[in-house]
């Protein structure tokens, strides 16, 4: 089976990107990262990509007078790299309907909560963990899902839970969840690249 060409979209530090790079370099994934694109100028994840000889490109939302032109550039760039799979690893721009249609069922996202809790518009980064702790939850975790036209609502691929401690802060909870993210995102990408994921309506099934 030929290697899957992966495009990774980021906005920040890129620790999930790093986990994916490490998994690929470890030989467990039948895919290669063709390009990393950030929608912000100063994303450290771009440096991580370049350190591993991966093209890192900034397509900054603020450089475009409207979202349409931004997404046209983003789509055309991903097509130039002939990507077969797009991984959102901390990408903060909500995808346009057109983008999701162009790459239908080929977009995977990682979210730092157990969807459908604490997700959707406005739930990103520390805001997720602050809301979770304010609610008084006892268990949190991470979710990897396919992306559909709404925020964080696509069919779920993998989830893993973590305990919430009484003295947790958003920062300590974020770190515990991040450890799980770094495990299940590469695992979901491995399954995808091995052709083992089947989407049936709202459900994702793994075939052996
Ligand atoms: C992660 O918590 C991820 O779940 C969320 O954004 C954060 C990205 O972190 N979507 P990093 O840039 O991968 O370190």
């Amino acid at each position: 089976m030929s290697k899957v060409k992966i495009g990774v979209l980021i906005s920040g530090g890129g620790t999930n990107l790093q986990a994916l790079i490490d998994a690929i370099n470890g030989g467990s994934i039948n895919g290669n990262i063709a390009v990393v694109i950030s929608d912000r100028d100063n994303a450290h994840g771009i440096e991580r990509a370049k350190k591993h000889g991966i093209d890192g490109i900034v397509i900054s939302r603020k450089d475009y007078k409207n979202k349409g032109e931004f997404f046209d550039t983003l789509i055309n760039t991903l097509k130039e790299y002939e990507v077969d799979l797009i991984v959102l690893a901390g990408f903060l721009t909500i995808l346009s309907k057109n983008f999701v249609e162009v790459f239908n069922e080929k977009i995977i996202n990682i979210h730092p909560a157990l969807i459908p809790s604490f997700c959707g518009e406005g739930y990103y980064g520390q805001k997720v963990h602050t809301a979770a702790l304010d609610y008084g939850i006892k268990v949190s975790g991470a979710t990897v899902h396919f992306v559909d036209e709404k925020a964080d609502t696509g069919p779920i691929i993998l989830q893993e839970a973590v305990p919430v401690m009484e003295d947790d802060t958003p920062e300590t909870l974020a770190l515990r969840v991040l450890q799980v993210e770094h495990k299940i995102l590469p695992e979901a990408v491995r399954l995808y690249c091995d052709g083992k994921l089947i989407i049936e309506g709202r459900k994702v099934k793994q075939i052996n």
Side-chain angles (χ1 to χ4, degrees):
M1 186 189 270
S2 62
K3 281 193 178 291
V4 172
K5 289 194 185 89
I6 303 166
V8 182
L9 305 187
I10 62 168
S11 298
T15 66
N16 275 291
L17 165 66
Q18 188 64 57
L20 191 52
I21 290 171
D22 295 346
I24 289 171
N25 291 344
S28 64
I29 296 180
N30 180 39
N32 280 315
I33 299 174
V35 64
V36 174
I37 300 174
S38 170
D39 63 351
R40 272 128 172 102
D41 292 323
N42 55 358
H44 180 58
I46 293 293
E47 301 318 311
R48 293 179 189 273
K50 291 181 175 173
K51 215 164 75 176
H52 290 274
I54 301 166
D55 282 4
I57 300 172
V58 175
I59 299 179
S60 179
R61 174 68 188 83
K62 65 173 175 47
D63 295 343
Y64 294 83
K65 58 180 183 294
N66 60 57
K67 276 205 168 185
E69 288 190 18
F70 167 76
F71 278 111
D72 287 348
T73 306
L74 188 57
I75 289 167
N76 292 336
T77 305
L78 288 162
K79 283 184 170 178
E80 279 164 22
Y81 280 89
E82 298 176 322
V83 300
D84 312 299
L85 171 65
I86 291 164
V87 175
L88 308 182
F91 190 65
L92 295 178
T93 301
I94 301 289
L95 298 179
S96 66
K97 194 168 181 311
N98 177 48
F99 185 104
V100 174
E101 283 167 3
V102 168
F103 297 106
N104 185 37
E105 299 189 348
K106 297 178 177 191
I107 312 169
I108 285 177
N109 182 46
I110 175 91
H111 183 74
L114 295 176
I115 291 175
S117 298
F118 310 109
C119 65
E121 293 271 341
Y123 284 102
Y124 56 88
Q126 294 288 33
K127 291 173 187 261
V128 173
H129 306 298
T130 301
L133 291 172
D134 288 349
Y135 197 94
I137 60 170
K138 302 304 178 186
V139 171
S140 191
T143 302
V144 186
H145 63 96
F146 282 108
V147 174
D148 62 13
E149 65 286 348
K150 296 191 294 294
D152 301 329
T153 56
I156 292 172
I157 302 170
L158 294 174
Q159 292 186 301
E160 186 168 323
V162 300
V164 176
M165 307 304 179
E166 293 227 334
D167 59 352
D168 261 329
T169 63
E171 292 72 20
T172 58
L173 179 55
L175 279 176
R176 194 174 308 122
V177 171
L178 214 44
Q179 286 172 347
V180 163
E181 294 178 45
H182 296 165
K183 203 169 77 179
I184 65 173
L185 180 61
E187 175 60 7
V189 171
R190 182 186 71 75
L191 290 167
Y192 182 95
C193 293
D194 285 347
K196 291 189 184 296
L197 297 177
I198 303 285
I199 303 176
E200 291 179 358
R202 269 222 55 86
K203 299 220 171 81
V204 177
K205 296 190 174 170
Q206 290 183 30
I207 54 175
N208 296 319

